[in-house]
Every structure is written in C-alpha cells, then in structure tokens.
Amino acid sequence: MDAVSLSTLLAAAAMAGWVDAVVGGGGLLLLPALLVAAPGLPVATALGTNKLAAIFGTATAAATYARRTKVDWRVAGPAAGVAVVSAGVGAALAGAVPASAYRPVVLAVLVAVAVFVLVRPRLGVVAVPARRTPVRVAAAIGVAGVGIALYDGLIGPGTGTFLVVAFTTLVGADFVHGSAMAKVVNAGTNLGALVVFGVTGHVWWLLGAAMAVCNIAGAVVGARMALRRGSGFVRVVLLVVVLALVAKLGHDQWVAR
C-alpha cells in the first residue's frame, strides 16, 4: 500500500472514530475506504480489520462516557455480554449471506428510523425515565444484545446508530445517554466479531493496529463533543449518518449493479 492510500485510510479511521463515538455508523466511512485503499482485499478481511480498529475506538468512547456521565449498566452490561456471542455468530455467517439479501431490509429500516426521528422532534432530547420498565429493559437487552449484535457481526455499518435509537425508544434514554450505552454494547459486538475474524485469519493486524490509533483519537474527540454539546447535537449527527447510510446502500443496490 502506498503512502497516499495509507494516509487516506488513517484519516478515514480517525473520522470513523469520531462518528462512532457520537452516534455510530463509522463503518460507513472505514469499510469503503479499506476496500478502495487495498484493492482485492477480501470482504471478510476488510470487516475483520475494521473490527480491530473499531474495538479500540468504541472502548475508548465508552470509557470517556462512563467517566463523564451515568451509564445505565442494568441495560448496557447484560446487552454487551450477550452481544459478544451474537456478534461472533454473525461474523461466522458473514461469508454465507450475499449483500443482495440484506440490503433492501436494512434500507427499509433506515428510512423508517429517519422518518421516526424527524416526525418526533422531542425524541431523545429529554430522557423519559417512566419507560424504563422491566419489560422494556428486557426488550432493549434482547434487541441490542441479540438482534443488532448479530447484524454487526454479519454486516456492520450503522450498528451504533441502531443501538442509540433502540435505547432511546425502548428505555427512554436521551441521545447522550443512549449513545453512552451504545458504545458499551458496540465494544462487545466488536470483540465477538473480532475473535471470529481473527481465528479464521481475516484480520490485517498491522494495518488494523495503525488504524486503531487514529480511531481512538477520533473517538475521544467525538465523545467529548457529544457530552459538551448535548442531545440536540447528537440528534443532528444521527440524522446525517442515517441519510448517508441510506444514500450509500441505495447506490449499492440500484446504481452500482
């Protein structure tokens, strides 16, 4: 890999760390950058290398949030534990599911998320503690730790965004605290997927380590900005990331064929 491609990739890793720390979706930047910078790189290896960089960024963001705000460990802890296993299962199945099978479903979900957030301008701006019932807590753990984690191991991009929306809608977290919980669970999904990709030889360790350093730097800046600027800022970034994901997946589905 030449110096220009490497520099571009490291910059993408830093930006992905920032996006992941604020609201998730950093894979939207880093995965395409990996595939462009390293032509011929197997998709599974790109996914595995991305996980190596991302786990350091999400863990750093989770630690930053935990030091500066309250994390609901009753939800985030169990969800993260289950997510390690679910994401590992997803990673083991990653090569068996063609992109054409999941893309329309993910597109539909993302459009629904964008509409939902737009028509409910107060969603996530203020916490709604009354929603944190035992049934809703169990539902959040299941959705985040099983469903979304499986998706992360299988595909990846947008996982953090889905987690934030899940915690906001199911247990009434505001966007900042939802993002804090999302980082904890996302660290678990990255760990589970990374173990499987590593065992199967689908991680470019040296490149992933270099990307991890930049991802950490971006994650620290992103988490601090989210905490300083509040839920309104996170909401705007969430909408931008969701719309960017819709555009990217829509292009892949209908234009790039």
Side-chain angles (χ1 to χ4, degrees):
M1 183 180 297
D2 59 57
V4 173
S5 295
L6 179 60
S7 299
T8 302
L9 194 53
L10 295 178
M15 182 57 69
W18 185 91
V19 172
D20 269 336
V22 176
V23 77
L28 172 69
L29 296 169
L30 200 47
L31 275 173
L34 262 170
L35 294 170
V36 169
L41 186 70
V43 174
T45 304
L47 288 168
T49 306
N50 174 60
K51 292 302 178 193
L52 176 58
I55 191 172
F56 285 95
T58 51
T60 299
T64 301
Y65 278 110
R67 285 197 303 268
R68 294 167 177 253
T69 192
K70 185 178 179 181
V71 176
D72 190 343
W73 291 104
R74 293 174 301 167
V75 179
V82 175
V84 174
V85 177
S86 299
V89 173
L93 299 173
V97 181
S100 58
Y102 68 77
R103 215 178 271 136
V105 176
V106 177
L107 263 170
V109 172
L110 284 169
V111 170
V113 166
V115 171
F116 186 67
V117 174
L118 282 170
V119 300
R120 298 187 64 180
R122 299 301 299 168
L123 176 71
V125 175
V126 179
V128 186
R131 290 185 187 169
R132 200 176 263 98
T133 64
V135 172
R136 283 179 169 267
V137 167
I141 292 170
V143 169
V146 179
I148 299 175
L150 185 68
Y151 165 82
D152 191 31
L154 192 63
I155 306 162
T159 295
T161 305
F162 290 139
L163 288 169
V164 172
V165 172
F167 292 135
T168 302
T169 56
L170 290 173
V171 293
D174 60 44
F175 278 131
V176 169
H177 290 89
S179 191
M181 289 190 285
K183 296 296 102 42
V184 174
V185 178
N186 209 174
T189 66
N190 286 331
L191 175 61
L194 177 60
V195 169
V196 173
F197 284 126
V199 169
T200 55
H202 286 298
V203 178
W204 190 346
W205 295 101
L206 186 60
L207 177 61
M211 289 163 50
V213 174
C214 297
N215 202 257
I216 289 171
V220 170
V221 174
R224 289 179 178 175
M225 284 184 69
L227 288 163
R228 185 170 64 251
R229 299 195 177 189
S231 294
F233 170 72
V234 177
R235 181 179 186 272
V236 171
V237 177
L238 182 145
L239 283 170
V240 170
V241 170
V242 167
L243 293 174
L245 279 165
V246 168
K248 173 66 170 63
L249 290 174
H251 177 273
D252 291 345
Q253 179 69 18
W254 291 296
V255 179
R257 283 184 166 183

